[in-house]
Amino acid sequence: MLSQKSAETVRATLPAVGEAIGTITELFYRKLFTAHPELLRNMFNRANQAAGTQRQALAGAIAAFTTALVERPGTRPDALLSRIAHKHASLGVSAAQYPVVHRHLSAAIAEVLGDAATEEVAAAWDEVYWLMANALIEIERRLYAERGVLVGGTWRQWEVVERTRETADVVTFRIRPADGRPAPAFKAGQYVSVQVELADGARQIRQYSLTNGPGATVHSFSVKREDAGEGPAGEVSGHLHDHVHEGDELTVSAPYGDVVLDTTDSPLLLASAGIGCTPVVAMLEELAARGHQAPVVAVHADRSPADHALRADQERLVTKLARGTAHTWYERPEGDWPAERTGRVDLSGIEIPDGVQAYLCGPLPFMRSVRTQLLERGVHPSAIHYEVFGPDLWLTRDDGEGH
Ligand SMILES: NC(=O)C1=CN([C@@H]2O[C@H](COP(=O)(O)OP(=O)(O)OC[C@H]3O[C@@H](n4cnc5c(N)ncnc54)[C@H](O)[C@@H]3O)[C@@H](O)[C@H]2O)C=CC1
């Protein structure tokens, strides 16, 4: 809980900090990586740093957390932090790293605010930082404990037992623990971090959703190659495609992620686009395995049938469900594909069951479009869950829509 005195100061300075938050986060990362270059090489996603998206995501998270704090000073907005804590846990973030971040973040705030950063203002924002940091430390400690992960024990070696080409751009890796111990349990929708050593010696980390069923002893994940386009080529996806084969070892974290199915038998809508199909395939596996009885509407959008990874798995699993239906849209279909399923997702002709819980995974504009359509159809915002691969830009100030 934020103290009365600090709440007033934070409320008074929030507009100024909010206005300058982009500059503050940019300066913060510059200071952090000057002092600790190893963090940029081996923990942070350097492509997201170069693109500025990590900075935007941090700014969005700080703004959302602080706004929630001053609007409801009596409660700590933990729900906002769960997604970040899961990502941190998959990266092996430790409690000892929070004072380091604090040092550089408060220096950045002081430098950007200049004379406005009085002792009182600095103390109030310190309080905000430690409320946020301690909440994250607490959730991360619980996540590590639940998985039996000791400090420094985030990474395990896994062996690639099979590599399958799904489409021209997507490859699936099936992996099992190299030490022969069991694969950790996970919930459908969760991801693992994969750490690889690149040609320049940097150890970069990316997250991939697991696609296998919950009880499997071998885990699977699918990787879409990201060629250079608007942004640079994906360093880790390219490395996995070019250099990792059957029999090789991979360094992989325990599974994390807070976008998971609840255990009730509610009606579901699972909407995916492109490589966003991966967590949905795991969810369909779980629903089929547990004999889910309520309706499940599986919606998928892709560029073309040839680009549609894991299509056979999606189709097979939907037919296993008691009341599963599948609806697919292609922007560039083949053969006599129906006109009403050509282009992007249009839910107007789809029956949405009462009491539906919706899970969205795909490019951000896709998720925004589906969310808007669901809200128009009367689905409550609290029943719409989404998974973001990469920095969560849904919370950024430019969003205009919020979560
Ligand atoms: N949940 C997440 O955060 C995910 C993020 N991504 C990100 O998106 C990028 C592209 O993923 P790809 O598989 O290459 O997807 P893609 O670019 O092939 O798009 C897949 C489909 O998404 C739909 N879509 C795209 N833009 C849309 C829009 N403005 N409105 C409505 N529908 C739209 C279209 O039907 C399209 O065929 C990836 O590089 C990844 O970074 C991808 C999957 C999941």
Side-chain angles (χ1 to χ4, degrees):
M1 190 195 300
L2 198 57
S3 67
Q4 178 72 27
K5 185 160 173 271
S6 293
E8 279 162 26
T9 311
V10 169
R11 199 173 289 122
T13 49
L14 187 55
V17 172
E19 193 57 41
I21 194 77
T23 320
I24 291 170
T25 51
E26 187 180 1
L27 185 59
F28 154 67
Y29 280 120
R30 209 171 335 123
K31 286 178 181 295
L32 180 70
F33 296 141
T34 303
H36 297 279
E38 76 285 358
L39 289 178
L40 182 57
R41 276 170 68 77
N42 300 332
M43 178 169 264
F44 283 81
N45 177 327
R46 59 185 180 183
N48 293 338
Q49 286 299 330
T53 45
Q54 184 70 50
R55 163 163 43 90
Q56 287 173 38
L58 175 64
I62 294 173
F65 182 82
T66 315
T67 305
L69 259 188
V70 294
E71 280 172 5
R72 291 179 297 281
T75 53
R76 200 177 63 178
D78 282 17
L80 280 176
L81 300 178
S82 166
R83 171 176 316 231
I84 302 173
H86 276 266
K87 175 88 174 282
H88 280 179
S90 87
L91 292 166
V93 167
S94 70
Q97 288 171 315
Y98 284 88
V100 179
V101 167
H102 173 249
R103 186 176 327 126
H104 297 290
L105 189 57
S106 42
I109 293 175
E111 198 169 317
V112 172
L113 291 190
D115 290 345
T118 60
E119 227 172 85
E120 193 186 344
V121 167
W125 281 92
D126 261 11
E127 211 179 310
V128 171
Y129 176 82
W130 283 111
L131 271 173
M132 189 163 169
N134 284 333
L136 286 170
I137 290 168
E138 201 180 294
I139 308 170
E140 287 155 22
R141 190 179 291 133
R142 201 191 64 230
L143 290 174
Y144 290 134
E146 279 168 6
R147 286 157 185 77
V149 171
L150 305 172
V151 174
T154 294
W155 305 107
R156 270 174 83 182
Q157 292 304 108
W158 292 64
E159 185 197 345
V160 177
V161 292
E162 194 183 321
R163 174 188 154 124
T164 320
R165 179 157 293 284
E166 305 284 353
T167 68
D169 294 335
V170 177
V171 163
T172 295
F173 296 92
R174 302 187 75 226
I175 57 171
R176 70 165 170 233
D179 59 13
R181 288 189 296 133
F186 79 106
K187 294 185 183 132
Q190 293 191 312
Y191 54 78
V192 290
S193 279
V194 177
Q195 185 191 61
V196 298
E197 186 169 334
L198 298 170
D200 67 354
R203 298 186 69 81
Q204 283 279 293
I205 303 168
R206 299 292 184 272
Q207 289 70 42
Y208 298 100
S209 301
L210 294 176
T211 57
N212 50 287
T217 51
V218 173
H219 283 175
S220 318
F221 63 91
S222 300
V223 180
K224 179 166 180 179
R225 189 186 189 106
E226 305 272 348
D227 290 325
E230 278 172 32
E235 290 191 287
V236 176
S237 63
H239 177 93
L240 292 169
H241 272 249
D242 294 342
H243 300 296
V244 178
H245 299 278
E246 222 170 278
D248 288 345
E249 282 201 1
L250 278 175
T251 305
V252 179
S253 77
Y256 296 96
D258 68 338
V259 181
V260 295
L261 297 171
D262 67 22
T263 50
T264 62
D265 199 51
S266 8
L268 297 169
L269 183 138
L270 307 176
S272 57
I275 196 61
C277 63
T278 52
V280 167
V281 166
M283 288 177 178
L284 291 170
E285 288 273 11
E286 184 175 309
L287 294 167
R290 73 157 116 120
H292 189 84
Q293 293 300 307
V296 178
V297 182
V299 163
H300 182 78
D302 230 306
R303 295 182 191 196
S304 72
D307 288 306
H308 185 168
L310 307 179
R311 177 183 181 178
D313 296 283
Q314 276 178 309
E315 288 171 355
R316 171 180 58 83
L317 290 162
V318 168
T319 60
K320 277 185 159 183
L321 297 171
R323 294 167 72 193
T325 49
H327 308 275
T328 305
W329 281 260
Y330 294 124
E331 293 181 282
R332 294 189 311 278
E334 286 159 14
D336 54 359
W337 188 256
E340 70 273 16
R341 293 297 160 87
T342 299
R344 289 174 172 175
V345 165
D346 172 6
L347 297 179
S348 54
I350 306 287
E351 194 183 327
I352 313 266
D354 285 343
V356 77
Q357 291 287 323
Y359 291 83
L360 322 182
C361 189
L364 214 48
F366 161 83
M367 295 197 289
R368 288 208 172 107
S369 156
V370 171
R371 181 174 184 270
T372 305
Q373 296 182 50
L374 290 174
L375 293 175
E376 282 167 8
R377 297 283 295 274
V379 176
H380 195 269
S382 65
I384 304 175
H385 316 274
Y386 68 94
E387 182 58 289
V388 175
F389 296 167
D392 187 350
L393 299 180
W394 200 314
L395 283 176
T396 54
R397 288 192 310 150
D398 318 340
D399 170 42
E401 215 185 337
H403 169 34

